Amino acid sequence: MNTALRQMRVLIRYEFSDALRTRRVILVMILFSATLLASFHFSIRLLHRMENQLAEMMELPASEVAGATTEALWQSERFRNIVERMTGDRDVVRELMDISPIALMFGGLSFFFTPLLVLLTCAPRISSEVSDGSARYALVRTSRLNWVLSKLAGQALLIMLALVLCAVGAWIMAWFQTVGGRSFSTGMDMLTFSLKAWVKGFAFLGLALGVSQCMRSPNLATAVSFVAWIGLAVLYNLSESRVGEGMARLWDLGLLLTPGGHQADLWRTNPVWLIPSVLYMLGLGFLYFFIGFIRFRRKDL
Amino acid sequence: MTPVLKTEGLVKRFGRRKALDGLTLSIPGGTITGLVGSNGAGKTTLFSVVTGILSQDSGTIDLFGEGPFDPELHSGRVALLPQDASLPREASVKGLLEYYAELQGLSREEAGRQIPEIIADVHLTERANDRIRSLSHGMRKRVMIAQALIGEPELILLDEPLNGLDPREVAHMRNILRNRKPGQSMIISSHNLDEIERLCNRVIFMEHGRLVLMSGIRELTGQGHLLRYELKGTPPLDLLRRRMPEAEFEYEEREGLLSCRYSEDMYNEAEVNRVALRALLDEGVDILSVRRGSELESEYLRRSPQRAETGKTDKASSGASTDILPQAGRNR
């Protein structure tokens, strides 16, 4: 056990330093921040426009900075509908009324983009080293399980770092561009959402690395990961629409085994809903990952 | 001595093709064994199966009498230089070797002591902090050799280790490999038979995934009991036989080669040379060269691959006197 832990520590450290050396970490950061922060910026502008339209309707002077009428907007049914569409659950919206709408906006964007970015950056991680043979140097020194688990841990830490930095970047952006962003609680809410997005991302990281363990070509691994993602989304939507009584209860399995089935509860602040959702997401990540490992364990490299 | 590696009936299939076809062999500890065979003979597959990179379809592998390769158990004790694997391009030479050293269990202090020595051994001290991608092909090969030497493993598997090195580096690497730690074993796969002959004390011939022959090089090539003279002129065979009645003389007229087989119990090399050379010079025969034993290449060509295909390898036809194990026929 000690040997395995020691080897994993060495492997994770190498994974991190390799990411720095290869500038892969920069690529991940740029991808995450460009996608999340740019879309956040445009969302703030959209919010600002909506605020001004609302002010115009109410014959009030337009605000220079977004967020001046957010509180009023936040109470409006129209805005509730928008958030409801983003989260897909009215109960969740009500529970989230305590959270800054700017932070919620960041949460929605990070929930939406994280799976995409995770699949894009992580799917080739294992298959690329298997295909160029460099994995062999490590695999005569450590077990396959240690090696792939270290990849999982290394990538998970890297994504967490990217999301936390994005949250900080988004908070700074919100600070200068919105009224509601100028509070510590908004920053903390954004940070919380970045961690929740990481939890959701972990399920997709497991999926990406699970696929990567089965593929020899990095490009194929990325493509198959996306196909698997679409497959899970289709399964979730089918399950959600068909679940019912009797045999239709079996569709519950579809909800249980797809990230979509647990995503709504990640919006909750109540731990009764939040904790099981977090555990399910992490569990799904490990499940997808170890399904890949069953193949990788005996695979000819 | 306990074998460092034993395989029994090892089979590995790629689709319908058998890359290893019931391979049974045993490598004694403390030896340098050359693995020789034509392309597709199964040499690289054997290394990959032994180190767990590939899984065998059937048969058994036993390392150090402890069972098959287990990375937890054998980490740092078995090293591999794969033939066709790239090194991580962005790592520095020193950083990469330190990473491998720590991964196989060397302490930082021990790695810090060993790695600079190994880097100096492979003549890369000045490039120690350079990234792998900036190195030439030959330099990368030297890094690959270096990684296999970390921690003085008990068994080192080297697949074409000297390929791509310049002649000076080949000679240098040969010295490094020869000056191994006592008790350390190496298996070197190579197409360069001259290299195998210079480096190894044992040799294995493989064809079509089967063992053709396994022997000491000295016994196989007849070093110690065979001298060959390249002549210009006809040798006085009667005179030679009279002067050394216990030795056997044969003359191949077409190639101008005189072979003298003798028993080490009766004569030594110097005695044979003294008598034979004197007799030849007395009779006015010009001597162009003298060679100890036959060349490994000629032994390989004699025994492989036709012998493997017909399964007719046998002790009588081999002319060698030791542990040559005809197996090709058995494996069919």
Side-chain angles (χ1 to χ4, degrees), chain A residues 20 33-34 44 48 56 69 118 125 138 140 153 163-164 171 179 190 220 224 229 233 253-254 284 286 289 294 298:
Chain A
L20 284 171
S33 53
I44 289 173
H48 193 193
E56 198 180 318
T69 50
V118 165
R125 270 319 282 144
V140 290
L163 283 167
V164 166
W171 187 25
V179 173
M190 284 179 165
L220 190 62
V224 173
W229 180 28
L253 268 179
L284 282 180
F286 281 114
F289 177 82
I294 289 170
R298 299 214 167 271

Side-chain angles (χ1 to χ4, degrees), chain A residues 118-127 208-209 211-213 218 221-223 225:
Chain A
V118 165
L119 294 184
L120 209 59
T121 54
C122 302
R125 270 319 282 144
I126 292 174
S127 51
L209 293 185
V211 170
S212 196
Q213 290 176 76
T222 308
S225 294

